[in-house]
Amino acid sequence: MKKVWKQPMLEVL
Amino acid sequence: MIKHQSLSVQHMVSQKEGNIVSDMDGEKVMLSIHNGKYYNLGEMGGEIWELLEVPITVQNLITILTEQYDVEHSECEEQVLSFLTLLVEEGIVDAA
């Protein structure tokens, strides 16, 4: 069973 | 070392030293001691970050991710390249 893909995001603080 | 150039699947990428990394509620947060910025890589970004512990080609990285996640190869490639380009521009990932 493959895991659910989410778009990788970079948050810069 | 690339800078201000487009990243491709042939490039070798790896974590750059000088970052303090921690897990917060499943998300990877990081402080760069080089530029004083805090980053939140999120859950998926954290997974990718861990895969960069040893130098790896972007192509191999995408192969691993598409084996583990329910995502089309083309979609994964586009999103991972975009994400890695940001990491390289911020100086927290090395690409060669």
Side-chain angles (χ1 to χ4, degrees), chain A:
Chain A
M1 185 71 175
K2 289 187 174 182
K3 293 184 272 187
V4 177
W5 172 261
K6 296 177 195 168
Q7 181 171 358
M9 305 287 284
L10 178 67
E11 185 181 6
V12 184
L13 308 169

Side-chain angles (χ1 to χ4, degrees), chain B residues 5-94:
Chain B
Q5 291 179 14
S6 59
L7 195 66
S8 77
V9 293
Q10 280 80 40
H11 279 109
M12 187 81 78
V13 287
S14 62
Q15 295 178 4
K16 196 167 190 173
E17 290 183 1
N19 300 298
I20 300 168
V21 185
S22 179
D23 278 305
M24 289 183 69
D25 290 333
E27 297 191 340
K28 196 77 77 182
V29 293
M30 177 188 305
L31 167 64
S32 168
I33 62 172
H34 294 300
N35 60 25
K37 289 182 183 176
Y38 286 91
Y39 300 94
N40 181 4
L41 278 66
E43 187 180 344
M44 188 59 64
E47 294 273 349
I48 292 172
W49 174 259
E50 288 181 354
L51 290 169
L52 303 182
E53 194 168 356
V54 293
I56 183 174
T57 63
V58 177
Q59 184 64 72
N60 284 347
L61 177 64
I62 291 165
T63 299
I64 291 170
L65 290 170
T66 51
E67 286 172 353
Q68 293 181 352
Y69 289 90
D70 185 15
V71 61
E72 292 293 327
H73 188 281
S74 59
E75 182 185 0
C76 183
E77 180 177 315
E78 180 186 350
Q79 293 182 3
V80 167
L81 278 172
S82 175
F83 177 69
L84 289 175
T85 298
L86 284 175
L87 297 185
V88 171
E89 287 176 351
E90 290 292 333
I92 51 182
V93 160
D94 277 329

